[in-house]
Amino acid sequence: MNSVTADDSAWIRTSPFFRHATDVGYTLTLIRGWTPDEVLRAAGAEPRGRGEGTDGLIDAENAHRDATDDLWDASFIAGAFSAAGEDGDWTLVLGYDGGLGIGDACVEALSAGGRVVVHSTNGGKPIDLFQWYEDGALRTVFEWASHRDGDTPDALLPLLREVGFPLTPEGEHDDNAPDVDGKAAVLALAERLTGIRLTEALLGEATYALGLVPDSPPGCGTN
């Protein structure tokens, strides 16, 4: 049984890569049953070759920004790679996108018959979101673990408490429980649902399939 907790993700607070991700805003999407190229095509992304590690992904995003005159353009470079997890291979999609991601409608479609887990930060404020999709439905979403929404907002409550969120058995904030690093707890929760441990080495050394996700994605090409 996977017993990972927030303590296992403490590396994020000393990681230059993760600091950059939270400063500029990021989305990390984990999708079961689709290849990286299939996910990028579904998101309407224009192929942009390959990037080595997060440095290659950052370089590609910076080059795209340098070539974009419109400050309001929400297009971004997404990087995708495959990793073995629970019940088969998963595709991990990372974008320094200000927390936009590849679009809720597309993520929902990609979860049909499977599972998708997303966590993000929009940078600045920040707004930190966690989303769990199962078989085409948004099962649980939250910014604060004590304020959950979705079709089954309490389905993850036992896991939330196990990874370290300070919650009562009823799912309310527990003032008597120890404080927790919320982002580290989210990474632990993602691992519990996917079987994939997110580490600096995994993200930093992967070869990413790169794609330019458009400002206004044309739906989701999963058919």
Side-chain angles (χ1 to χ4, degrees), residues 18-109:
F18 206 83
R19 186 181 311 115
H20 173 77
T22 53
D23 284 348
V24 302
Y26 80 92
T27 305
L28 183 60
T29 306
L30 302 97
I31 305 161
R32 187 173 65 200
W34 297 81
T35 69
D37 288 337
E38 287 171 342
V39 171
L40 292 177
R41 281 198 300 272
E46 175 187 316
R48 290 295 179 92
R50 294 290 188 268
E52 293 303 322
T54 48
D55 287 344
L57 177 56
I58 291 170
D59 288 345
E61 175 63 25
N62 288 341
H64 169 57
R65 286 288 145 227
D66 289 343
T68 303
D69 294 329
D70 184 358
L71 295 177
W72 302 104
D73 180 12
S75 61
F76 65 93
I77 299 292
F81 68 95
S82 182
E86 180 181 299
D87 295 331
D89 288 339
W90 293 66
T91 286
L92 284 71
V93 185
L94 176 61
Y96 300 104
D97 55 10
L100 295 173
I102 60 177
D104 291 343
C106 198
V107 170
E108 185 175 292

Side-chain angles (χ1 to χ4, degrees), residues 8-204:
D8 295 291
S9 296
W11 64 269
I12 63 176
R13 296 310 172 196
T14 58
S15 165
F17 144 69
F18 206 83
R19 186 181 311 115
H20 173 77
T22 53
D23 284 348
V24 302
Y26 80 92
T27 305
L28 183 60
T29 306
L30 302 97
I31 305 161
R32 187 173 65 200
W34 297 81
T35 69
D37 288 337
E38 287 171 342
V39 171
L40 292 177
R41 281 198 300 272
E46 175 187 316
R48 290 295 179 92
R50 294 290 188 268
E52 293 303 322
T54 48
D55 287 344
L57 177 56
I58 291 170
D59 288 345
E61 175 63 25
N62 288 341
H64 169 57
R65 286 288 145 227
D66 289 343
T68 303
D69 294 329
D70 184 358
L71 295 177
W72 302 104
D73 180 12
S75 61
F76 65 93
I77 299 292
F81 68 95
S82 182
E86 180 181 299
D87 295 331
D89 288 339
W90 293 66
T91 286
L92 284 71
V93 185
L94 176 61
Y96 300 104
D97 55 10
L100 295 173
I102 60 177
D104 291 343
C106 198
V107 170
E108 185 175 292
L110 289 168
S111 75
R115 175 176 291 179
V116 177
V117 174
V118 186
H119 55 87
S120 62
T121 292
N122 72 338
K125 296 180 182 179
I127 296 173
D128 297 292
L129 290 178
F130 173 87
Q131 297 159 287
W132 163 44
Y133 294 81
E134 191 90 14
D135 198 18
L138 177 57
R139 298 286 303 278
T140 303
V141 56
F142 62 83
E143 180 179 6
W144 306 102
S146 57
H147 295 82
R148 302 167 302 281
D149 203 349
D151 288 355
T152 56
D154 293 335
L156 298 181
L157 182 54
L159 286 182
L160 288 167
R161 299 183 72 229
E162 287 177 19
V163 300
F165 285 105
L167 299 174
T168 67
E170 296 73 29
E172 299 176 353
H173 182 78
D174 186 352
D175 292 330
N176 297 316
D179 288 336
V180 69
D181 184 325
K183 183 60 71 175
V186 158
L187 264 66
L189 180 61
E191 181 176 343
R192 294 284 192 110
L193 291 171
T194 66
I196 297 173
R197 175 158 297 190
L198 298 175
T199 66
E200 192 161 26
L202 177 67
L203 298 173

